Amino acid sequence: MKLTKICQELNIEFSGEDIEITGLHTLTEATPSQISFLNDKKYIHQLETTKAGAVFIEEKYLNFLPETTIALVTDEVYLKLALASKLFAYKIETKGEEPTMGEGCDIDRSVSFGKGVTLGDGVTIMAGSYIGDGVTVGSNTLIYPNVTIYHHSQIGANCIFHAGVVIGSDGYGFAHTKAGEHIKIYQNGNTIIEDSVEIGANTTIDRAVFGSTYIRKGTKLDNLIQIGHNCDLGENALMAGQAGIAGSTTTGKNVIIGGQSAIAGHIHIGDSTTIAGRSGVTKSLEGGKTYAGFPAIEHVSWLKIQAKIAGLIKKKR
């Protein structure tokens, strides 16, 4: 889509070359044919080196914009991003077609497929599942009943998805108008599940806003887990039931997350971290340690605090 057309749709004026725009991305990942945005001054260092063709930006930050990038000046950066995301949203259709299948697949007759689906050898898909447009499923993956895999998700080999799993549903993203209305940010990325991942019943993994949400190889997820958009869950993670990770959080390898734990967005959990059940993680954690409580602190310190509290209560009695 031409940049002039986008600006007409969003009621934004600009001066510069009328370039062809193929989509949206972050400041660090955007190419000269993509639009990006700056809605927080802590990312100014990324703005200074961005390769984006154009950027939604407030006037006060114009001095930090590279000369090669077109300024799309607005005082509602996040709202303009949301409105632009709709222009590049994937067109959802109900029409499907038979998938391209490898040898030895076992597919229930009630399974529905979108267009351009590719299955490897020995894939098993049970009743009531839906596999969307452009999805790839690796060899020897087992999909139990009523699993939904949204368009353009990529599933590795030797995976197991239990009943009710949802892969690639929209992340929870909205911009807000000055009147308090909530405007959907269309999630135009995808979800990638690597090899040998097992996902428990009714677990949901959101697609990315742009780019990909990743579940790395060897990870095992329990039932009723929520993984937010643009997360990157490292190799061989273990995550117990009813835990959740907010958007854009990343973890290293061999992380263990206890049941009903909640992890905030835009942070990093280091390699070989253990998070005790019902913990609330509010900031990035150094790897190789065990954490507990809310806000989560090192487990030994948390135990000492609990002992102090119990001692105070005992004295009061």
Side-chain angles (χ1 to χ4, degrees):
M1 188 179 295
K2 289 291 187 180
L3 185 57
T4 49
K5 175 65 174 175
I6 295 169
C7 290
Q8 287 172 5
E9 294 282 344
L10 304 182
N11 194 26
I12 289 179
E13 295 182 0
F14 83 97
S15 59
E17 183 183 354
D18 187 15
I19 60 177
E20 191 78 26
I21 298 297
T22 60
L24 312 171
H25 220 308
T26 62
L27 288 169
T28 56
E29 298 294 331
T31 69
S33 67
Q34 293 177 316
I35 296 175
S36 192
F37 66 102
L38 177 77
N39 70 322
D40 192 321
K41 64 182 181 181
K42 70 181 181 181
Y43 298 115
I44 283 178
H45 66 286
Q46 296 179 4
L47 176 67
E48 293 173 324
T49 58
T50 189
K51 301 291 193 300
V55 171
F56 295 121
I57 190 172
E58 293 182 61
E59 189 171 8
K60 61 185 177 182
Y61 298 125
L62 286 176
N63 290 339
F64 299 98
L65 193 69
E67 292 183 2
T68 54
T69 301
I70 297 168
L72 305 178
V73 179
T74 174
D75 62 351
E76 297 178 300
V77 168
Y78 211 49
L79 178 60
K80 296 302 185 185
L81 172 70
L83 296 172
S85 70
K86 185 176 182 179
L87 302 177
F88 293 95
Y90 183 72
K91 187 177 186 304
I92 303 300
E93 296 180 333
T94 58
K95 297 177 182 178
E97 61 187 26
E98 288 298 310
T100 300
M101 288 192 289
E103 297 180 358
C105 292
D106 184 3
I107 311 299
D108 189 272
R109 287 182 296 178
S110 66
V111 175
S112 298
F113 292 99
K115 298 178 180 179
V117 175
T118 302
L119 308 179
D121 297 336
V123 172
T124 301
I125 307 179
M126 300 182 73
S129 292
Y130 170 75
I131 315 298
D133 293 352
V135 169
T136 61
V137 180
S139 296
N140 302 313
T141 285
L142 169 60
I143 297 175
Y144 279 97
N146 300 318
V147 168
T148 301
I149 303 179
Y150 281 46
H151 61 89
H152 298 111
S153 298
Q154 298 176 26
I155 312 302
N158 302 306
C159 293
I160 301 173
F161 295 171
H162 290 277
V165 163
V166 178
I167 305 295
S169 51
D170 279 3
Y172 192 64
F174 301 90
H176 315 291
T177 67
K178 293 175 181 178
E181 299 168 303
H182 312 302
I183 306 301
K184 181 178 179 63
I185 300 173
Y186 283 78
Q187 311 289 289
N188 295 333
N190 74 339
T191 302
I192 299 176
I193 313 294
E194 294 187 344
D195 295 347
S196 301
V197 171
E198 183 164 355
I199 301 177
N202 294 321
T203 284
T204 61
I205 301 173
D206 292 344
R207 71 191 310 106
V209 181
F210 17 69
S212 300
T213 300
Y214 287 94
I215 307 297
R216 301 293 181 176
K217 67 181 182 181
T219 288
K220 314 298 181 186
L221 303 181
D222 199 357
N223 304 327
L224 297 168
I225 284 173
Q226 158 70 15
I227 306 292
H229 56 197
N230 289 93
C231 284
D232 190 333
L233 191 56
E235 294 179 11
N236 300 314
L238 294 174
M239 194 167 176
Q242 298 185 356
I245 304 180
S248 298
T249 282
T250 61
T251 77
K253 299 178 181 179
N254 305 110
V255 169
I256 299 173
I257 301 171
Q260 293 190 333
S261 292
I263 300 176
H266 298 271
I267 63 174
H268 178 71
I269 310 299
D271 290 353
S272 301
T273 296
T274 297
I275 299 169
R278 305 197 77 179
S279 296
V281 181
T282 59
K283 61 182 181 180
S284 295
L285 299 179
E286 183 181 347
K289 297 180 179 180
T290 300
Y291 299 87
F294 178 78
I297 57 176
E298 287 192 50
H299 189 238
V300 172
S301 299
W302 181 80
L303 289 173
K304 289 178 179 178
I305 290 171
Q306 299 311 302
K308 291 277 189 184
I309 293 171
L312 290 172
I313 293 172
K314 189 174 181 181
K315 284 181 181 180
K316 189 173 182 181
R317 287 177 179 172

